[in-house]
Amino acid sequence: MSAAIDELLEESLVSLRFEKQLTVSEWADEHRMLSSRASSEPGPWRTDRTPYLRGIMDALSASDPIQRVVFMKGAQLGATECGSNWLGYVVDHAPGPLLAVQPTVELSKRLSKQRLQTMIEETPRLREKIASSRSRDSGNTLFSKEFPGGMMLLTGANSAVGLRSTPCRYIFLDEIDAFPSDVEGEGDPCSLAERRSTTFARRKIFMASTPTIKDYSRIETEFLLSDQRRYHVPCPNCGVMDWLKWSQLKFEEGKPSTVKYECEHCKQKFTESNKTQLLSDGQWIATAEGDGKTAGFHLSSLYSPLGWKSWEEICEDFLKSKHD
């Protein structure tokens, strides 16, 4: 009898482990593999490399009540992989109908070929769920990928047909500032896409983009309607938490290599060598009330990890373009 009870308990524990709810960052740390074909740092995904992405990914998790996630971002921050992690999480851990929208159909095709197919091939959990595109009747095509419990549809913001068909629980709108203002006379592509999720009580909409022209930027408008979260890091000198601003980068005239960051509070300067620790100790802090359903995240390239976009490069770019 004792052996039978032990066996039953073991089966129950296995079942509980199987049903464990993961966040997107936990799923990525456990399962995501980066390929040398699509990443400069191939191998297992490590959220600790870009700790600021943890809050964004976890807001996209099935367990988080937030419905809309807005990410206004700079370059070289890992945002593309953040979006890919969410797509992989949906396929493997929280299946449902999903729509991924790029600015054009051609860019959607490129995402499918260069990013998604590589991620599927390199990540065993996804390879189990989505059959090879070379298999007959695999359900894996350029614009449609079937998996148990759901389907991923890919389209461009310039295609009205792709934006207004099947209802979807998950909507990924990437680089929305490059979307057309009107698609084939049917209105704003973001609104068209979002309408496809209205019948789902636990929907998730992810909007991401680099901003373009101030006051005309879609992503800026969406961010200002959110709770406006900013990633605060502690000054290594006085310890006060604040978010990094371009105005606080200081360098000798014409010498970007001398750049340092000046703390607004203690006026002491520190170098970029502190960045790894700063990012690790940072936290997202909301700076507005918002509507309770939309989480907005703002992140400039000043946060790009060591080895990616440096403060010196940012200052060089500024000097090259400031008179343009």
Side-chain angles (χ1 to χ4, degrees), residues 32-33 37 88 91 112 115-133 140-141 145-146 152:
R32 178 77 197 281
M33 295 295 295
R37 288 180 289 166
V91 170
S112 181
R115 291 280 181 181
L116 295 182
Q117 193 55 43
T118 300
M119 179 174 71
I120 292 166
E121 291 172 358
E122 298 290 337
T123 305
R125 296 280 295 201
L126 300 181
R127 209 163 53 232
E128 295 171 5
K129 302 290 176 69
I130 300 178
S132 170
S133 58
N140 182 356
T141 68
K145 301 185 184 300
E146 296 178 8
M152 184 190 307

Side-chain angles (χ1 to χ4, degrees), residues 246-252 258-262 269 315:
W246 159 251
S247 61
Q248 298 309 114
L249 282 190
K250 310 294 181 181
F251 59 95
E252 296 175 25
T258 63
V259 65
K260 293 183 178 180
Y261 191 93
E262 182 179 278
K269 295 184 178 70
C315 293

Side-chain angles (χ1 to χ4, degrees), residues 90-107:
V90 169
V91 170
D92 180 49
H93 195 69
L98 185 156
L99 174 68
V101 184
Q102 293 288 302
T104 66
V105 171
E106 189 59 35
L107 287 174

